Amino acid sequence: MDGFEGNKGYSERFGLHQVDFVDGNRPRTPKQSAYFFAQIIEQNGFVSRKQDHFEGVKISPPRRSTPLPPSEVPSASKVVWEKFTPQKKFDRQMYHYGNFSQNFLWGVSSSAYQIEGGWNADGKGPSLSIWDKFTHTPGNILQHDTGDIACNSYNKMEDDIAALKKVKVSHYRFSVSWPRILPDGTTEYINQAGLNYYKKLLDSLIAANIQPQVTLYHWDLPQALQDVGGWENETIIERFRDYADILFENLGPKVQLWITFNEPFIIAILGHVQGTHAPGIDRPDTLPYIVSHNIIKAHAEAWHVYNDKYRASQNGMVSITVNADWAEPRNPYKQEDYDAARSFYLGWYAHPIFNGDYSPLMKRSVLEQSLAGGLTKSRLPEFTPEEIKRINGTYDYFGLNHYCTKSWTNSCYRGVVLLRDRTWLESGSHWLTMTPFGLRRLLKFIKHEFGNPPIIITENGVSENGPVDLNDVHRKYFYEKYINQVLKAYLLDDVNVIGYTAWSLLDNLEWAVGYTERFGLFYVNRSDPDLSRTPKASVSFYSSIISCNGFPDPASGTHELTKQKLCEKRTSLYGLFARTALMSHPQERSPTFLFPL
Ligand code: PNW
């Protein structure tokens, strides 16, 4: 435990347990490391997770997968790389002046569990959500943080509306907590208090002239449904359809934009393969494919309910939000790197919904890996021809969450490997580097791969950790550079981008890392019982971009943005380099091996 450290006194703490030296009783609290060390002792070493689940299955030795011939699969990525590969760093960073379309949507984003608090208020308990259970289980969340109170948005609606007004957004994206509406997940009992909360939020937004964009599912499944198998059990498709129906019926008259699911990829991988997100299951092999299969079908059913019952009277748009990094081949002239980068994960969900069925590349990769693992058939389930027909086209726009680019290569031993370029600026999150150029490429890829749909960027943002500094120059830099790349995609590449949503309105519960990584435009003071919100410097900066509807040429006269300090010139980056050095994560520099390709 923490103790007296010679001439350093109590300032250096070596303990597995924290000791509160202010309290006369000296209470001890186990740190995360105590749980970790206990686990090592219990297992008498490091037990491979794979061994648990592959017992009896013959694992073949690592092998090189057969390269895919470039001509076999029509590939939009090829179009993109052909266009951008000759681009010099200077060109790709070049600033572009211009405006977005007149009715471009400008928003900020949040999600229920991350901000609301009121975890068991007004009938949400006793069933609760999988995130309530997950955060209350010791060892899952950094510093034992929970969403019990979060930013207390459940009780601080006026403050949030005031914050939104300050940014001057036209749209606010928030999510509905399923267990707040249907505590046991089914329509057996509808909790009116839950519906009233969201009705009031919608009325307040509309009164402030801010349009809502509502996510039905941002990861907080009713625990009661998890108890019967969650996304693994296909009866959930019907449960989700009924939940969607209730929201469309009750909230639909006030909503024009709906998102069925937020980031199914993260649900499948972090929730069911790595177990670092709720429900905390770490069963690789077939589970992520089953979970995703059911999510895709549930999405399609919700879209059809809207289409059949509500579209005529409500006239809104319904779609899904997928997350995607841009995959840059480490060497686009090397066939193997090119093939590796081609197989990236956005298509897992977008291909069935926008093009019909899983892509041939996905089918082939999973089949090949399944056979190599000793199985007799693919772990990827198949859609029937009727299902393909029902799922294909269930979108009204393309919802995209994007944060960064990864460099991809093919290692002879481990398959696809993700790397990062050490010159890329880092952030407060180990997985997030500042790589604005990739967003333009990704947008062009979506245009070609998925039939030029209208695209709404539903999340994009950056974090910090460590000491609080309201002058968040790194975030101003991030938004300036990323939004400028969106503008290039719109004006130069003719991509149909119709909206941009910043993540996030407030510093909030960043899932497994608790409140340590802060993505907010507003700082939330967690030592203040009132959880006061203070704008960071990026608020007025983002607000100026919104007022100017882009980046008008200064030669055309002064405008709000000319009053802001832009990072256009390289010199202004020096301060930023010094800052991001403080936020670096040296332990994370080794390559990541990708599951499940
Ligand atoms: C998204 N990654 O999640 C979520 O939609 C938000 O709720 C979240 O707060 C935000 O991004 C910032 O993390 C992600 O590891 C979580 O690549 C992890 C990753 C990407 C997105």
Side-chain angles (χ1 to χ4, degrees), residues 73-115:
V73 183
S75 162
S77 50
K78 199 167 179 203
V79 179
V80 180
W81 279 304
E82 270 169 8
K83 177 177 164 94
F84 290 114
T85 303
Q87 229 187 8
K88 297 272 167 298
K89 259 191 186 164
F90 181 78
D91 299 320
R92 79 180 191 203
Q93 280 166 2
M94 255 215 334
Y95 213 78
H96 195 79
Y97 291 119
N99 295 103
F100 289 96
S101 63
Q102 271 302 311
N103 45 4
F104 194 76
L105 323 178
W106 289 105
V108 287
S109 194
S110 71
S111 90
Y113 189 73
Q114 292 179 277
I115 64 163

Side-chain angles (χ1 to χ4, degrees), residues 88-151:
K88 297 272 167 298
K89 259 191 186 164
F90 181 78
D91 299 320
R92 79 180 191 203
Q93 280 166 2
M94 255 215 334
Y95 213 78
H96 195 79
Y97 291 119
N99 295 103
F100 289 96
S101 63
Q102 271 302 311
N103 45 4
F104 194 76
L105 323 178
W106 289 105
V108 287
S109 194
S110 71
S111 90
Y113 189 73
Q114 292 179 277
I115 64 163
E116 280 178 4
W119 71 296
N120 59 1
D122 299 338
K124 180 170 167 246
S127 170
L128 306 170
S129 84
I130 54 172
W131 270 95
D132 292 306
K133 180 166 179 196
F134 192 71
T135 57
H136 285 217
T137 308
N140 282 342
I141 311 291
L142 217 57
Q143 299 181 353
H144 311 293
D145 287 331
T146 70
D148 292 4
I149 301 174
C151 304

Side-chain angles (χ1 to χ4, degrees), residues 191-258:
N191 182 28
Q192 196 56 43
L195 276 176
N196 289 346
Y197 167 70
Y198 293 109
K199 279 187 181 163
K200 189 170 161 212
L201 176 58
L202 289 170
D203 287 339
S204 313
L205 286 169
I206 292 162
N209 200 21
I210 298 167
Q211 302 312 310
Q213 183 178 0
V214 185
T215 311
L216 273 64
Y217 186 76
H218 202 123
W219 309 350
D220 44 353
L221 187 73
Q223 180 61 41
L225 293 184
Q226 189 59 47
D227 294 341
V228 293
W231 292 107
E232 191 179 357
N233 178 345
E234 66 178 354
T235 59
I236 200 161
I237 299 167
E238 212 175 305
R239 299 281 98 79
F240 184 76
R241 189 201 57 203
D242 294 348
Y243 163 60
D245 197 348
I246 284 171
L247 293 196
F248 296 149
E249 183 186 348
N250 287 277
L251 310 180
K254 303 175 200 288
V255 179
Q256 286 294 291
L257 271 176
W258 293 97

Side-chain angles (χ1 to χ4, degrees), residues 232-510:
E232 191 179 357
N233 178 345
E234 66 178 354
T235 59
I236 200 161
I237 299 167
E238 212 175 305
R239 299 281 98 79
F240 184 76
R241 189 201 57 203
D242 294 348
Y243 163 60
D245 197 348
I246 284 171
L247 293 196
F248 296 149
E249 183 186 348
N250 287 277
L251 310 180
K254 303 175 200 288
V255 179
Q256 286 294 291
L257 271 176
W258 293 97
I259 296 169
T260 53
F261 286 89
N262 180 67
E263 301 190 351
F265 180 89
I266 299 286
I267 300 171
I269 301 298
L270 271 58
H272 297 83
V273 173
Q274 298 174 356
T276 51
H277 276 195
I281 299 171
D282 54 354
R283 255 170 51 214
D285 51 51
T286 311
L287 186 59
Y289 296 110
I290 296 172
V291 161
S292 299
H293 206 68
N294 288 334
I295 290 178
I296 294 167
K297 287 188 192 175
H299 155 81
E301 288 312 310
W303 187 90
H304 280 291
V305 166
Y306 192 83
N307 206 44
D308 298 346
K309 280 176 76 174
Y310 301 100
R311 188 182 295 281
S313 56
Q314 298 182 359
N315 203 24
M317 302 209 287
V318 182
S319 216
I320 189 167
T321 274
V322 291
N323 62 299
D325 296 340
W326 175 243
E328 187 75 3
R330 193 163 172 78
N331 177 355
Y333 300 108
K334 195 172 136 207
Q335 182 65 44
E336 284 170 13
D337 283 6
Y338 172 76
D339 288 338
R342 241 189 333 158
S343 35
F344 76 102
Y345 48 74
L346 170 98
W348 189 348
Y349 309 94
H351 214 280
I353 293 167
F354 286 78
N355 298 346
D357 206 358
Y358 296 117
S359 73
L361 182 60
M362 176 98 187
K363 289 186 189 175
R364 184 176 164 157
S365 299
V366 182
L367 176 64
E368 200 173 85
Q369 292 299 316
S370 306
L371 299 181
L375 300 177
T376 51
K377 65 180 188 90
S378 178
R379 286 175 286 136
L380 185 69
E382 283 176 23
F383 292 119
T384 65
E386 297 75 50
E387 285 169 346
I388 292 175
K389 229 172 113 204
R390 185 138 178 99
I391 294 164
N392 192 3
T394 54
Y395 67 91
D396 299 320
Y397 62 92
F398 193 108
L400 173 71
N401 286 359
H402 173 76
Y403 287 87
C404 60
T405 285
K406 304 262 164 49
S407 180
W408 291 48
T409 182
N410 209 328
S411 136
C412 2
Y413 296 113
R414 302 290 299 266
V416 179
V417 177
L418 309 187
L419 299 161
R420 70 175 68 186
D421 183 322
R422 280 163 196 242
T423 63
W424 293 344
L425 293 172
E426 300 192 344
S427 73
S429 305
H430 69 84
W431 52 271
L432 204 175
T433 51
M434 300 207 215
T435 41
F437 66 92
L439 179 51
R440 178 178 174 190
R441 295 174 189 203
L442 178 62
L443 289 169
K444 188 169 165 62
F445 172 81
I446 292 170
K447 170 188 162 135
H448 291 286
E449 179 81 1
F450 302 113
N452 196 18
I455 302 172
I456 301 179
I457 296 167
T458 42
E459 276 181 33
N460 180 231
V462 71
S463 61
E464 66 266 355
N465 59 31
V468 176
D469 183 353
L470 295 177
N471 186 20
D472 53 342
V473 283
H474 60 291
R475 184 167 288 104
K476 284 164 63 175
Y477 171 85
F478 182 97
Y479 283 131
E480 180 188 338
K481 294 299 182 189
Y482 273 73
I483 298 173
N484 202 255
Q485 294 288 344
V486 180
L487 183 71
K488 287 197 218 178
Y490 172 64
L491 291 177
L492 306 178
D493 308 335
D494 221 8
V495 178
N496 190 10
V497 200
I498 60 167
Y500 176 90
T501 322
W503 180 272
S504 183
L505 178 65
L506 307 172
D507 288 340
N508 57 46
L509 182 99
E510 182 50 23

Side-chain angles (χ1 to χ4, degrees), residues 561-585:
L561 253 187
T562 51
K563 289 180 234 150
Q564 296 279 353
K565 228 175 134 195
L566 296 181
C567 300
E568 256 174 294
K569 299 201 180 64
R570 273 168 189 226
T571 43
S572 52
L573 273 178
Y574 284 124
L576 196 63
F577 276 120
R579 284 175 59 89
T580 50
L582 289 173
M583 298 194 286
S584 68
H585 304 266

